Amino acid sequence: MGNILKYSKIELLFNMPLYEKLTVNITEIEKVSREEEVTDDIFDYVQDIYEEKYPVEFNALIEFLLYEDRIYGYCSRCKRENSMQILKLDLDGKLKNKTLYGQLADDFDNYDEEYAIYELKNRINILIKDHEYFTKTVYCSHDKNHKFIFIYNLYLEGENLILQKVGQNPSSVDLHNRELDKRYSKYKNYKVIKSDLNKALICYHNNFSIGGFLYLRRVLESIVEDKYIDIKENLDKTKQEEFESHNVKFKEKIEILKEYLPNYLTENKYIYSVLSKGVHSLTEEDCNKYFNIVENSIYIIIEELLELQEKENRKKRTEKFLNEINSEINNN
Ligand SMILES: [Zn+2]
């Protein structure tokens, strides 16, 4: 289980998968000393002030509840990028005060060690009473009825608070797929891999990351097969037979296509073994932890494929023109 600091505030909205549980530490109270200039009737002098503040993770939770911002995002109702407003929650005034207890250094002998703990418990009770389930809303500035809605559950479990996302609309998968379409639709094999990429994300966002690994592996297989079909003619018969043989390992296929595949893939042949390991022996939790890294590796490969494709197209266009110039010159 990760803690709340795993995601930034905006990622807690748009990237945190459904039902993932994030812990929020409520025991490590921050202890801060600072100096403050004070003026009384006669002197200006500096006083030491000692304060106990929210634990870092609990503070991050409060910051998330109070988070408000303007961002650009795709509104599926307007069907375009618009300015979006993230709304803050209306919190009890006590929760907004991040200091639990404080005292001047002069009085330190009488410091009550227990008070900050008592006060934090109090505030957690208020928080859970008011916001056991809470909704963060992001609305489209063109029309406030166009909304993104994210629903969370907060509860105590042992020594920790738990934050869990329990619902959202539109789904992370919808949001993510739109982004993928925008970035990769020009890749010629995109139509074939799109469905498996989408399913990988559906699995991940519903906390079935082993399934996500399986679909990402299929994407990788499809990329390599597609490249083989493209360049098959350039390989000699032995290589073709080797590639098509039932016993061939994926690593060997990559080796055969080495000069045609993205460097990132040929230099990191083990991506496939990592994906297979996920399918066969890693736990759901491990796969969840590693998913974003292998997912990003796949994107890097697709980006390189797009570059190769663009380069190839440019070459063909230029060759065609060169040919025309050549025949023009020779005919004159
Ligand atoms: Zn809109």
Side-chain angles (χ1 to χ4, degrees), residues 73-84 139-148:
Y74 185 87
C75 171
S76 58
R77 306 268 301 273
C78 293
K79 301 223 179 302
R80 53 167 289 182
E81 293 260 328
N82 266 343
S83 167
M84 304 267 184
Y139 69 78
C140 164
S141 56
H142 179 71
D143 182 337
K144 285 190 180 175
N145 291 317
H146 301 175
K147 284 179 192 163
F148 290 81

Side-chain angles (χ1 to χ4, degrees), residues 102-117:
Q103 207 155 7
L104 301 177
D106 315 4
D107 310 329
F108 203 72
D109 288 347
N110 304 320
Y111 199 80
D112 182 350
E113 296 283 346
E114 297 299 316
Y115 189 79
I117 301 169

